Amino acid sequence: MYKLNFNWIDKQYYYDGDDLGVTILEDKTVFKTWAPMATCVYINLYLDGTGDNRIESLPMEKLDKGLWYIELLRNCDGEFYTYTFEYNHKRLEETIDIYAKACGVNGERGAVVDFRTTDPKDWDKTKKPECSNACDAVIYECHIRDISIDKTSGVDPKYRGKFLALCRPYTRCGGVGTCLEHLKELGITHVQLLPVEDYATVDEAHPEKMQYNWGYDPKNYNCLEGSYSTDPTDPKCRIREFKQLVMELHRNGIGVIMDVVYNHTYYTEKSAFERSFPYYYHRHKNGKFTNGSGCGNETASERLMMRKYIIDSLKFWVKEYKIDGFRFDLMALHDIETVNLIRDELDKLDPQLLMYGEGWTGGESPMQADKLAYKWNSYQFGRVGLFNDNIRDSVKGGTFNPYDKGFVSGNRNAVYTLKRGIVGSVPHHELHDAKEACWAFEPTQAINYCEAHDNNTLWDKLCISAKNDTEQTRIKMDKLSAAIVILSQGVPFLQLGQDFLRTKPRILKEGEEPNDVNIFEENSYNSPDYTNAVHWDRKDKYYEVFRYYKALIALRKSSTLFRLSMKWEVEQKLSFWRKNDDMFIIFSLFDQNESFVVAFNPYFEDRHFDLPQGIWQLCCDENGRAYDRDISGNVRCPGISCVVYKRKQ
Ligand code: CA
């Protein structure tokens, strides 16, 4: 179209106001947008979110700093709008406002919404749960549809797969609690929702069609996804229902983390960004969109108005919806300066807000690698967490080879990397190997996990890589994995259903012969409910496993020694017993008040060890049980299990 000098544009036209989008002022409505190179901008007003019902199209007025403005002398609450941008007297396709905070069905038009009318009853009375140290968090990753869509959720059919399903009390499957009841029972502190911002590929107008997506196909970054509401045609419905969800979780002491996908746009050329100000919001090389996301493009967080866009959007979610934290998809596509600025801005709103992301990209970015929030640059943004793929792979084996084994399935090579994970990936004087796995600035930076929405579930991975073992043995491996993730320093992260051996069965294509691997889905981003839905009868079937996860979480919460937030504390209060490469790992956690001994035994055979002097009690056996009995001397750690002893006061 034309050559743009982005630095010059940023210098000349950067706008720092907080009024982009729509502002309702009693009896008038103000629309403001930013497009410094546009030659004309029109606003198109509509009666509805879709269809042929345009009220009028009006030219907007150009102001300083590349702003365009129009004031309508009425309260437009309930109306819909779009913009048409004109460059060099050529009109671009009509588009939704990138700053729209509400929209009609399928996010085609912005909706003017007076947010004061969207608060559920008692919204102002409900407080956010406290989380002063990120290591106090136990994060549980959930997809809104997966958690309740199956009939075993016990949720009323009209709420299944919707925000409101998580607001229903006392839902059960046979004898066990499901959905909200389950979250409360398990004891997690935060739910991380897969994207609930408006995404592209589920047709909201046709809920009767079988459609599914994780939601990493972003369309409107400040609007909610309509398919999770009971009425996607009413812009206020999804807002009110999502607020209800947040309020219900807060009432039960559970924080809400949003998974945000600012790193790319689903539609590239046809995105609202390109139809508002072509070229500005995406990165390019040699006139082509670059593909650092692996989804066809990447956004340009280093450009000041894109950076501001992300920050304004996050602040909006916190202020309007009382969100407790953010998980950044492909965070390494954002530049380090932006990531640190986001942390600063979130701190101003609430320093307890959690912030973490993926320290990798989905493809090659044209940006200099030392400018981006890659995991290997972690020290430059030490207040922001990163997914710990080192502990993940050392626990269960690499994710790219389904047959690869990890510590719990007997891989001796995993020991050194695993120990780095146990200390929260910070430096520790007893550890000298696997330096690549020592990357965290503080333990609060390490998000420890061995299962997330990507790749095979932990259970499926064990079914493939330990297929010659019995189910009972694999269950022990699963439980030992959980013990490692939950009892390591850092922030534990689990996927919905991991605590009852979640599986993702795959539907074979016609003529395809089943084998070890293809019967499980490792990338279920658009798979049917058959694959993705959580089947709550598994919680009943594997209740012993669930109870073990619950016991581990309770143990973690019982002492700050499992949740040390500073590396000097880990250095002083955690000590390994064995400095050799024996796979039987034992370490002590101690301060002036308390003392624990934790043992991880990946061998099939029982192992024995001598407790330090004094009287001890078994506070977590291989089934998560605690005992009052006083013990000293030589004790047993059963094969493929974890035991935890606590010194008697
Ligand atoms: Ca949508």
Side-chain angles (χ1 to χ4, degrees):
M1 196 160 148
Y2 42 71
K3 271 244 182 287
L4 291 173
N5 180 335
F6 298 117
N7 289 334
W8 179 81
I9 289 169
D10 283 349
K11 220 171 170 168
Q12 208 69 21
Y13 294 107
Y14 176 71
Y15 175 65
D16 67 357
D18 60 0
D19 57 351
L20 291 167
V22 186
T23 311
I24 299 178
L25 301 160
E26 300 308 330
D27 53 357
K28 62 180 183 182
T29 308
V30 177
F31 299 82
K32 216 178 239 188
T33 193
W34 184 80
M37 300 292 116
T39 43
C40 225
V41 183
Y42 299 88
I43 186 168
N44 315 298
L45 290 141
Y46 293 91
L47 286 173
D48 206 345
T50 178
D52 185 12
N53 45 48
R54 187 181 285 194
I55 306 166
E56 56 189 342
S57 280
L58 301 165
M60 296 173 79
E61 190 185 330
K62 187 165 191 180
L63 305 178
D64 276 357
K65 294 288 174 195
L67 295 178
W68 295 83
Y69 166 97
I70 192 167
E71 187 178 293
L72 301 178
L73 297 177
R74 61 176 189 269
N75 183 329
C76 297
D77 182 30
E79 292 181 31
F80 296 81
Y81 74 106
T82 61
Y83 292 137
T84 305
F85 292 84
E86 202 174 276
Y87 286 84
N88 298 326
H89 309 291
K90 187 169 165 278
R91 283 192 186 189
L92 305 184
E93 292 278 340
E94 183 179 352
T95 180
I96 187 167
D97 177 10
I98 61 171
Y99 298 100
K101 294 182 171 69
C103 60
V105 68
N106 284 324
E108 291 295 321
R109 294 174 188 163
V112 182
V113 161
D114 182 347
F115 275 83
R116 288 170 303 184
T117 64
T118 63
D119 293 346
K121 193 171 163 282
D122 295 334
W123 174 248
D124 287 330
K125 288 186 201 151
T126 318
K127 281 215 166 63
K128 280 184 167 191
E130 292 290 312
C131 182
S132 56
N133 161 16
C135 295
D136 290 351
V138 180
I139 301 168
Y140 201 56
E141 182 189 42
C142 300
H143 185 278
I144 291 291
R145 188 175 172 95
D146 295 352
I147 195 168
S148 64
I149 195 69
D150 191 69
K151 62 179 187 304
T152 56
S153 67
V155 170
D156 188 326
K158 66 175 182 271
Y159 298 128
R160 282 182 204 157
K162 311 289 180 196
F163 291 135
L164 289 182
L166 274 176
C167 305
R168 314 307 296 169
Y170 314 120
T171 54
R172 300 192 82 74
C173 169
V176 301
T178 67
C179 300
L180 178 62
E181 284 306 301
H182 176 74
L183 303 176
K184 287 158 62 177
E185 198 185 351
L186 183 56
I188 52 98
T189 66
H190 290 76
V191 161
Q192 176 198 303
L193 299 172
L194 268 82
V196 292
E197 315 86 84
D198 182 35
Y199 56 79
T201 55
V202 165
D203 182 357
E204 300 173 7
H206 294 283
E208 74 287 355
K209 285 194 273 183
M210 168 50 226
Q211 306 175 79
Y212 184 92
N213 211 285
W214 279 343
Y216 299 98
D217 48 339
K219 187 164 181 179
N220 291 298
Y221 300 85
N222 298 315
C223 300
L224 288 160
E225 167 58 21
S227 64
Y228 298 146
S229 74
T230 55
D231 183 2
T233 63
D234 172 3
K236 290 185 185 177
C237 179
R238 60 185 83 176
I239 297 171
R240 205 176 293 122
E241 292 179 349
F242 184 60
K243 283 182 171 177
Q244 237 153 27
L245 177 155
V246 173
M247 188 170 77
E248 205 53 56
L249 289 170
H250 281 178
R251 274 182 180 159
N252 288 289
I254 299 169
V256 178
I257 297 168
M258 282 175 66
D259 189 338
V260 288
V261 195
Y262 298 107
N263 65 71
H264 75 281
T265 60
Y266 179 71
Y267 288 110
T268 318
E269 301 92 334
K270 292 177 179 168
S271 67
F273 282 140
E274 285 297 302
R275 287 177 173 179
S276 301
F277 188 177
Y279 302 97
Y280 182 81
Y281 298 100
H282 290 101
R283 291 183 186 135
H284 304 86
K285 195 174 181 179
N286 305 328
K288 289 203 177 91
F289 290 94
T290 53
N291 190 15
S293 66
C295 304
N297 64 76
E298 62 190 273
T299 55
S301 58
E302 67 281 10
R303 285 175 209 148
L304 295 189
M305 289 302 283
M306 182 63 209
R307 177 179 287 168
K308 176 180 162 55
Y309 182 83
I310 297 174
I311 293 173
D312 285 353
S313 174
L314 294 163
K315 284 161 79 173
F316 167 70
W317 288 111
V318 173
K319 287 184 183 168
E320 187 60 41
Y321 293 95
K322 304 188 187 183
I323 294 304
D324 301 273
F326 298 99
R327 176 261 188 205
F328 289 75
D329 188 57
L330 303 181
M331 189 169 69
L333 284 176
H334 302 320
D335 65 295
I336 293 170
E337 197 178 339
T338 297
V339 166
N340 280 321
L341 271 170
I342 292 171
R343 184 68 263 186
D344 289 345
E345 290 297 318
L346 294 181
D347 279 345
K348 285 182 204 162
L349 290 179
D350 178 0
Q352 300 195 24
L353 285 163
L354 295 174
M355 175 178 175
Y356 54 93
E358 292 180 308
W360 50 78
T361 64
E364 205 184 322
S365 173
M367 284 280 281
Q368 253 175 273
D370 61 352
K371 296 257 187 295
L372 293 177
Y374 280 111
K375 182 161 149 263
W376 60 73
N377 295 327
S378 57
Y379 275 51
Q380 295 178 59
F381 49 99
R383 298 169 300 152
V384 178
L386 287 164
F387 282 95
N388 195 348
D389 52 341
N390 303 106
I391 198 169
R392 177 193 71 192
D393 293 354
S394 65
V395 166
K396 66 172 182 182
T399 48
F400 297 108
N401 174 2
Y403 292 100
D404 196 32
K405 288 175 187 279
F407 176 82
V408 301
S409 37
N411 183 349
R412 178 173 288 276
N413 297 326
V415 173
Y416 296 109
T417 313
L418 182 67
K419 284 183 171 176
R420 292 286 190 185
I422 290 170
V423 301
S425 302
V426 295
H428 192 283
H429 67 280
E430 289 167 351
L431 304 180
H432 307 287
D433 300 288
K435 291 202 169 63
E436 76 289 348
C438 170
W439 52 265
F441 185 65
E442 295 289 2
T444 46
Q445 202 176 10
I447 308 295
N448 294 331
Y449 73 117
C450 64
E451 173 173 337
H453 65 274
D454 276 320
N455 309 118
N456 288 121
T457 66
L458 171 61
W459 180 246
D460 292 346
K461 167 85 174 168
L462 291 171
C463 287
I464 298 167
S465 59
K467 67 179 171 122
N468 295 328
D469 294 305
T470 63
E471 178 172 283
Q472 268 321 306
T473 300
R474 287 196 295 268
I475 287 176
K476 287 181 189 176
M477 292 173 178
D478 183 284
K479 287 164 70 180
L480 180 56
S481 305
I484 295 168
V485 166
I486 296 171
L487 301 181
S488 288
Q489 302 299 322
V491 183
F493 173 104
L494 308 168
Q495 184 181 214
L496 165 66
Q498 184 183 336
D499 47 309
F500 44 92
L501 310 181
R502 184 168 179 180
T503 180
K504 290 186 180 177
R506 182 171 163 271
I507 302 168
L508 294 177
K509 296 196 184 93
E510 209 163 289
E512 201 179 358
E513 285 298 318
N515 60 38
D516 299 338
V517 176
N518 71 7
I519 56 170
F520 301 111
E521 183 56 69
E522 53 87 34
N523 182 8
S524 66
Y525 79 100
N526 67 354
S527 303
D529 294 332
Y530 172 80
T531 298
N532 279 304
V534 162
H535 293 270
W536 289 97
D537 44 355
R538 282 179 83 83
K539 181 178 171 188
D540 195 19
K541 185 173 176 190
Y542 298 109
Y543 196 74
E544 157 219 350
V545 179
F546 161 75
R547 207 174 45 198
Y548 183 65
Y549 275 71
K550 180 181 166 178
L552 290 169
I553 292 171
L555 175 61
R556 182 179 175 90
K557 286 175 162 180
S558 75
S559 170
T560 52
L561 285 170
F562 295 107
R563 309 176 258 124
L564 303 171
S565 63
M566 312 267 203
K567 53 179 172 273
W568 67 263
E569 291 182 285
V570 179
E571 181 79 54
Q572 280 184 7
K573 300 176 182 180
L574 190 155
S575 179
F576 289 99
W577 284 27
R578 290 150 193 263
K579 321 298 179 199
N580 60 27
D581 67 350
D582 189 332
M583 287 182 73
F584 184 34
I585 295 178
I586 309 178
F587 60 94
S588 298
L589 287 165
F590 51 94
D591 60 15
Q592 60 277 33
N593 304 314
E594 289 180 305
S595 193
F596 292 91
V597 171
V598 181
F600 297 139
N601 177 14
Y603 293 103
F604 279 87
E605 305 78 31
D606 295 356
R607 283 297 184 101
H608 290 79
F609 61 100
D610 288 324
L611 287 166
Q613 280 207 323
I615 306 294
W616 295 77
Q617 290 186 332
L618 181 55
C619 66
C620 187
D621 74 357
E622 71 275 22
N623 295 311
R625 291 198 187 86
Y627 301 84
D628 287 336
R629 204 169 50 236
D630 293 351
I631 299 171
S632 59
N634 195 265
V635 290
R636 184 177 72 100
C637 183
I640 316 178
S641 81
C642 162
V643 292
V644 184
Y645 284 86
K646 185 179 182 183
R647 191 189 290 276
K648 198 179 173 186
Q649 296 299 327

